[in-house]
Amino acid sequence: KAGVTQTPRYLIKTRGQQVTLSCSPISGHRSVSWYQQTPGQGLQFLFEYFSETQRNKGNFPGRFSGRQFSNSRSEMNVSTLELGDSALYLCASSILQGAGETQYFGPGTRLLVL
Amino acid sequence: GENVEQHPSTLSVQEGDSAVIKCTYSDSASNYFPWYKQELGKGPQLIIDIRSNVGEKKDQRIAVTLNKTAKHFSLHITETQPEDSAVYFCAARGRNSGNTGKLIFGQGTTLQVKP
């Protein structure tokens, strides 16, 4: 079974631009979570989607948004990019939403904001 | 708020020795504790997880122990090999997350296994 895939793998943008990242979960998985990873802050939860609905949101500004499609694929969008948005953005999927559900991570999209 | 503290930040061992990484969590209602291994240029890979109704779990050379009273859990790797070199993250899922998959991660431990 194929793992979680994320596209693109690398991205360079300039301040003020917006970006859209894509995540395809493992086949049959319905829950998708997004995390931001930086050397200074580590892994931080952005949001989670299940059945096309956002079920939880981390402490990030409204410039960070996401959505999930009926096939469970998910996208996240960052508008008005700032230098501090440079990070590895990770997507994780699990079969269901809920207590103790094992999450499997994709390889991430590395975003560099200049 | 929810917090997970992980120690040490770096760990260097000789091949064949054991390695232990410890984590402490703040939310006493946390009920799920996974460990991930992240190699350079890759996403975190789940290596073992434990739920709050279990005190210990083993999988070949890897074991995790959980002490709910002290709110800490540990990863034990025995007979370390050079390919175990990576960054290891602990995480916890608290009841404050509701019925969701939100994980709170520790800051990571860079493990180096010297041949």
Side-chain angles (χ1 to χ4, degrees), chain A residues 3 5 17 19-20 23 26 28 31 56-57 59 63-65 78 82 87 94 98 107-110:
Chain A
T5 58
Q17 287 187 311
V19 67
T20 299
C23 170
I26 293 171
S31 174
N56 204 348
K57 191 177 190 301
N59 298 322
R63 298 185 297 108
F64 292 81
S65 63
V78 188
E82 301 177 359
S94 57
T109 293
R110 187 164 294 282

Side-chain angles (χ1 to χ4, degrees), chain A residues 44-107:
Chain A
Q44 293 187 292
F45 174 80
L46 280 157
F47 28 65
E48 178 185 18
Y49 287 87
F50 181 77
S51 292
E52 302 178 63
T53 302
Q54 187 180 92
R55 294 302 181 94
N56 204 348
K57 191 177 190 301
N59 298 322
F60 280 83
R63 298 185 297 108
F64 292 81
S65 63
R67 59 177 176 169
Q68 186 180 35
F69 302 94
S70 58
N71 62 357
S72 295
R73 190 177 69 84
S74 177
E75 289 181 348
M76 68 163 283
N77 183 275
V78 188
S79 62
T80 319
L81 284 166
E82 301 177 359
L83 296 178
D85 296 333
S86 295
L88 180 67
Y89 289 89
L90 292 159
C91 166
S93 77
S94 57
I95 291 178
L96 297 174
Q97 173 199 41
E101 282 299 326
T102 301
Q103 293 189 28
Y104 299 91
F105 282 85

Side-chain angles (χ1 to χ4, degrees), chain A residues 9 35 37 40-41 43 45 48 55-56 90 97-103 105-107, chain B residues 31-32 36 38 41-44 46 49 51 89 93 97 99-103 105 107:
Chain A
R9 292 294 312 277
Y35 293 83
Q37 185 175 25
Q41 299 299 317
L43 278 150
F45 174 80
E48 178 185 18
R55 294 302 181 94
N56 204 348
L90 292 159
Q97 173 199 41
E101 282 299 326
T102 301
Q103 293 189 28
F105 282 85
Chain B
N31 55 14
Y32 174 63
Y36 288 88
Q38 187 173 27
K42 297 183 179 180
L46 180 75
D49 57 10
R51 288 163 176 76
F89 292 94
R93 181 195 167 282
S97 298
N99 191 31
T100 73
K102 176 184 176 182
L103 295 174
F105 282 86
Q107 287 297 97

Side-chain angles (χ1 to χ4, degrees), chain A residues 99-100, chain B residues 27-33 50-53 92-95:
Chain B
D27 182 1
S28 58
S30 292
N31 55 14
Y32 174 63
F33 309 90
I50 191 168
R51 288 163 176 76
S52 57
N53 58 346
R93 181 195 167 282
R95 191 170 298 172

